[in-house]
Amino acid sequence: MFLSLLLVLPSIGRAATAPDPAVLQRQAEAAVNETRTRQPAYALLAEQQSGFLVNWREQVRQFMAVNGNRNTQNASRAIATALGLNASTAYLSRSDDAAIDALLIQQRRLMTMAQTDARLCGILLNTTTARLDEKGHEPWLLRKPYRALQPDLETALFQIVTSAQDKAPRTLPETQSQQFTQRIAARVGERHGREGLEDLERMQNDNTAPAQRCRGVSRLLEAIAEQPPELRAQLMRIYFGQ
């Protein structure tokens, strides 16, 4: 009888403390709205990027379902930053060169870390496995050693999004774009040989192993960073812009 009670009591406790879905949704919306007020770039992303606000709110809701109200605002900012990194590609064609250069620095830092961190690699590639592993857990930008990157990432995203407002896209003729990409491929091949060229070719193929894709992106960013300042932004637009 005593053992039976022990088996029943935990389930009773869980039922009593389970958050009300409607209340949880309102709390998540409040947390997101507070972040939007404090962070203008995230407010713009929420208004301008399809699905950004829905995904942001849902991830905050999942976090609160597991963690309650603890550290909610920090989690909301971290989630928005991670989503913003993915959404930033939509602004590259219109962003200022200096803003793109600042984002390049941050992306190189992340991809360098991803070379020895398979979990981070999957997150940066936005793989299905990484999305499932992150569901409801503490956002990756709140964990060591990533949390130190948050301020610089937020600054870079702010510059990318705000500098793109009311600007016309800047594109290059196809022949010139091809010349630039051939220049980068030659540099990657010179430094890393055939393996580097294969990584470069397969980095956008979802069927390629994440580690190889991350290595390819890292080598690409490395080659771009070596180019003259006036060329770096153009290359980022070519490779990562929409």
Side-chain angles (χ1 to χ4, degrees), residues 90-104:
Y91 294 89
L92 293 182
S93 68
R94 295 176 286 122
S95 297
D96 293 344
D97 289 0
I100 295 176
D101 219 32
L103 183 65
L104 169 61

Side-chain angles (χ1 to χ4, degrees), residues 27-28 30-32 34-35 38 56 59-80 136-144 147 150:
Q27 290 174 336
V32 167
E34 183 178 349
T35 308
R38 295 181 179 183
W56 182 8
Q59 289 189 38
V60 172
R61 188 196 66 78
Q62 291 173 357
F63 173 83
M64 296 181 72
V66 175
N67 299 276
N69 290 317
R70 180 177 58 84
N71 212 19
T72 302
Q73 191 51 224
N74 287 337
S76 177
R77 285 178 56 191
I79 290 167
H137 294 141
E138 183 180 52
W140 63 272
L141 271 170
L142 292 186
R143 306 172 197 151
K144 291 181 178 181
R147 68 180 66 159
Q150 173 89 19

Side-chain angles (χ1 to χ4, degrees), residues 22-242:
V23 172
L24 195 61
Q25 184 68 19
R26 288 196 297 270
Q27 290 174 336
E29 290 178 2
V32 167
N33 288 336
E34 183 178 349
T35 308
R36 291 173 67 179
T37 300
R38 295 181 179 183
Q39 306 289 335
Y42 299 148
L44 288 170
L45 284 165
E47 294 167 6
Q48 297 172 357
Q49 293 301 304
S50 176
F52 185 92
L53 181 58
V54 172
N55 288 333
W56 182 8
R57 187 185 295 134
E58 175 58 18
Q59 289 189 38
V60 172
R61 188 196 66 78
Q62 291 173 357
F63 173 83
M64 296 181 72
V66 175
N67 299 276
N69 290 317
R70 180 177 58 84
N71 212 19
T72 302
Q73 191 51 224
N74 287 337
S76 177
R77 285 178 56 191
I79 290 167
T81 303
L83 291 172
L85 287 173
N86 291 329
S88 65
T89 57
Y91 294 89
L92 293 182
S93 68
R94 295 176 286 122
S95 297
D96 293 344
D97 289 0
I100 295 176
D101 219 32
L103 183 65
L104 169 61
I105 292 171
Q106 300 310 315
Q107 288 182 325
R108 284 196 69 201
R109 290 172 69 184
L110 286 171
M111 293 310 304
T112 297
M113 297 171 75
Q115 300 310 294
T116 56
D117 187 340
R119 188 161 175 267
L120 178 62
C121 172
I123 290 171
L124 295 178
L125 293 176
N126 197 28
T127 64
T128 302
T129 300
R131 290 197 299 271
L132 291 174
D133 287 346
E134 290 289 294
K135 187 174 181 180
H137 294 141
E138 183 180 52
W140 63 272
L141 271 170
L142 292 186
R143 306 172 197 151
K144 291 181 178 181
Y146 316 127
R147 68 180 66 159
L149 306 178
Q150 173 89 19
D152 289 340
L153 286 171
E154 283 190 326
T155 299
L157 284 172
F158 176 82
Q159 293 173 351
I160 283 289
V161 175
T162 57
S163 71
Q165 299 302 307
D166 302 320
K167 302 281 183 60
R170 285 186 277 180
T171 57
L172 293 174
E174 183 64 26
T175 54
Q176 194 170 7
S177 294
Q178 290 179 352
Q179 289 174 355
F180 287 164
T181 56
Q182 288 169 359
R183 176 174 176 170
I184 291 300
R187 180 58 181 148
V188 172
E190 177 184 313
R191 172 167 287 187
H192 302 289
R194 184 175 182 83
E195 180 192 63
L197 292 174
E198 290 177 350
D199 288 345
L200 201 62
E201 182 180 352
R202 297 176 182 174
M203 67 181 187
Q204 294 182 335
N205 185 346
D206 290 344
N207 294 321
T208 301
Q212 184 176 8
R213 292 175 63 197
C214 280
R215 189 172 64 222
V217 174
S218 182
R219 288 172 172 174
L220 171 61
L221 294 175
E222 175 187 58
I224 291 175
E226 294 174 347
Q227 303 306 308
E230 65 273 12
L231 182 55
R232 289 197 294 263
Q234 291 289 8
L235 287 164
M236 290 291 288
R237 293 186 184 104
I238 291 169
Y239 279 104
F240 300 104
Q242 293 182 355

